[in-house]
Amino acid sequence: MLARTVAGAVAGVLLFVSGAWGAIALFYQLPGPVPARATGAVLWSVLYVGLLLALFGWRAWWAPIGLAVALALLIGWWTTIRPRNDRVWSDDVARLLSGEVHGSRVTLHNVRDFDWRSDDDYDARWETRDYDLDHLVSADAILSYWSSEAIAHAMLSFGFDDGRHVVFSMEIRREKGEAFSEVGGFFKQFELVLIAADEHDIVRVRTNVRGEDDYIFPLRMPKEAMRSLFLSYVDAANDLVERPRFYNTVTSNCTTIVYRMARRIDSGLPFDIRLLLTGYLPGYLRDNGALDARLSVDEWRRLGRITDQARSTKPGDDFSAIIRKDVPPARVPTSAQSPSSGASTL
């Protein structure tokens, strides 16, 4: 009797969750304006609740068949929703990054170099740029806090010995007029896009235009690992050109994708909840040797906060140099050092 009661309760919860998931999925994916999508979600909810009442209240023989058919139709429709690269995109995600590798030289196409005055007022530039990985000297994690101390957008900036920096950032690919939604990120609302950009574009727009709070954390990585991670970004960009993907708030976001790429270099890198709660990522980096243990996480945060420096810059300033003025450089380990000795490759 107890086993049947528990099984029935579990089945009831799963059926309820399936119905709720279907209503939200219809709201985010049905075509048309919000009222039409909301109407579709309500109609589904009424039908589904009616079938549940028939099943558990009236014990109707046809109710489980009706539920099975309804869920099968919903799942069948859901599988037809495919990511695409041919929508009408917002200007800042309109072009796809791609790259060519010839030995140590990498050519990146569609590097973004916008000058932002506001979210709606900017000079748009997309460029083709060449980078020599033999001159790669640094890799920095940049966190941009936009909601709470647990929520931040994570980016990776690679520095070269001529002072240039290029930032890679996994982001949602918004259509024109579309806004970010954490819930929509679970329901195929956004495609995924990899942006490569100058720091004075992709960092400054967050600090100076959107009012976010940004921090730099110099990563303690051997040069071979920096090079491998850079090339992983190039591979990811080329793959998105050929095979578009959906963004997912948990499984395919700015940090989890970097984690998967880093595991190609260090397969022993552990998964951690801080990869989802990205605001706490500095603690994860320090615990795994990527952030130098000579300073505490709080000290790294204090020294690495670049918001005020970024907001003080003017057009024509060396943005990358100014924001790093008070940030201690990383002590780059040699290739002989292993992650177990405190030099993780992330």
Side-chain angles (χ1 to χ4, degrees), residues 15-343:
L15 285 170
F16 175 79
V17 170
S18 298
W21 177 86
I24 301 171
L26 288 165
F27 176 77
Y28 278 101
Q29 286 299 330
L30 282 176
V34 171
R37 293 187 281 116
T39 300
V42 169
L43 290 175
W44 163 266
S45 300
V46 170
L47 170 66
Y48 201 82
V49 170
L51 289 170
L52 289 178
L53 287 173
L55 176 63
F56 292 105
W58 308 331
R59 305 289 183 178
W61 65 268
W62 47 264
I65 299 174
L67 281 168
V69 170
L71 288 172
L73 289 173
L74 181 74
I75 294 171
W77 162 75
W78 183 254
T79 60
T80 66
I81 303 171
R82 302 289 186 183
R84 296 164 48 184
N85 280 334
D86 59 351
R87 307 184 195 276
V88 180
W89 306 108
S90 294
D91 290 344
D92 58 328
V93 291
R95 300 193 187 184
L96 286 174
L97 175 69
S98 64
E100 302 170 32
V101 181
H102 303 283
S104 67
R105 302 194 67 84
V106 178
T107 300
L108 295 181
H109 303 284
N110 294 323
V111 177
R112 202 178 76 191
D113 185 21
F114 280 30
D115 284 323
W116 297 85
R117 290 174 290 276
S118 73
D119 262 332
D120 303 314
D121 182 15
Y122 44 78
D123 297 325
R125 287 188 299 271
W126 298 90
E127 300 180 351
T128 294
R129 296 187 179 178
D130 294 316
Y131 300 92
D132 189 340
L133 299 186
D134 287 342
H135 295 271
L136 181 61
V137 294
S138 67
D140 302 323
I142 301 179
L143 297 187
S144 188
Y145 290 78
W146 53 271
S147 178
S148 67
E149 66 174 335
I151 305 298
H153 178 70
M155 301 171 280
L156 207 63
S157 179
F158 291 92
F160 294 81
D161 58 12
D162 61 359
R164 290 193 302 165
H165 290 80
V166 60
V167 182
F168 290 102
S169 175
M170 282 287 186
E171 304 187 5
I172 62 167
R173 199 175 190 195
R174 295 173 292 105
E175 297 178 61
K176 279 192 178 293
E178 198 172 37
F180 176 67
S181 163
E182 293 92 339
V183 177
F186 288 102
F187 291 92
K188 298 184 179 182
Q189 185 177 8
F190 310 108
E191 274 81 4
L192 191 67
V193 65
L194 176 56
I195 299 293
D198 271 350
E199 290 183 333
H200 82 262
D201 168 343
I202 205 164
V203 176
R204 187 177 179 278
V205 69
R206 287 172 163 79
T207 55
N208 295 32
V209 173
R210 299 174 186 166
E212 299 179 13
D213 194 21
D214 282 32
Y215 297 75
I216 284 183
F217 298 94
L219 298 181
R220 188 169 177 261
M221 296 176 64
K223 290 190 176 181
E224 294 86 350
M226 291 183 204
R227 182 187 184 112
S228 295
L229 195 54
F230 191 104
L231 293 174
S232 294
Y233 273 107
V234 178
D235 290 343
N238 291 336
D239 188 59
L240 284 175
V241 173
E242 298 297 327
R243 287 176 290 277
R245 292 172 56 189
F246 281 118
Y247 171 92
N248 184 281
T249 303
V250 170
T251 63
S252 187
N253 60 38
C254 61
T255 309
T256 55
I257 290 173
V258 176
Y259 168 73
R260 286 197 290 269
M261 290 192 293
R263 275 185 60 87
R264 294 167 55 181
I265 306 166
D266 179 4
S267 60
L269 202 62
F271 187 80
D272 192 293
I273 190 64
R274 290 171 291 185
L275 294 167
L276 303 180
L277 300 176
T278 47
Y280 303 126
L281 186 62
Y284 176 85
L285 296 174
R286 190 177 185 276
D287 289 348
N288 287 280
L291 193 59
D292 202 316
R294 73 183 188 271
L295 298 176
S296 68
V297 171
D298 287 342
E299 288 173 316
W300 277 116
R301 285 187 186 278
R302 179 178 60 82
L303 295 171
R305 185 174 184 269
I306 60 171
T307 305
D308 294 335
Q309 294 93 318
R311 291 174 181 169
S312 72
T313 58
K314 303 180 294 296
D317 286 345
D318 187 338
F319 183 86
S320 295
I322 290 172
I323 63 175
R324 284 176 171 79
K325 184 169 68 73
D326 299 318
V327 181
R331 295 175 178 172
V332 178
T334 65
S335 57
Q337 290 179 286
S338 66
S340 61
S341 65

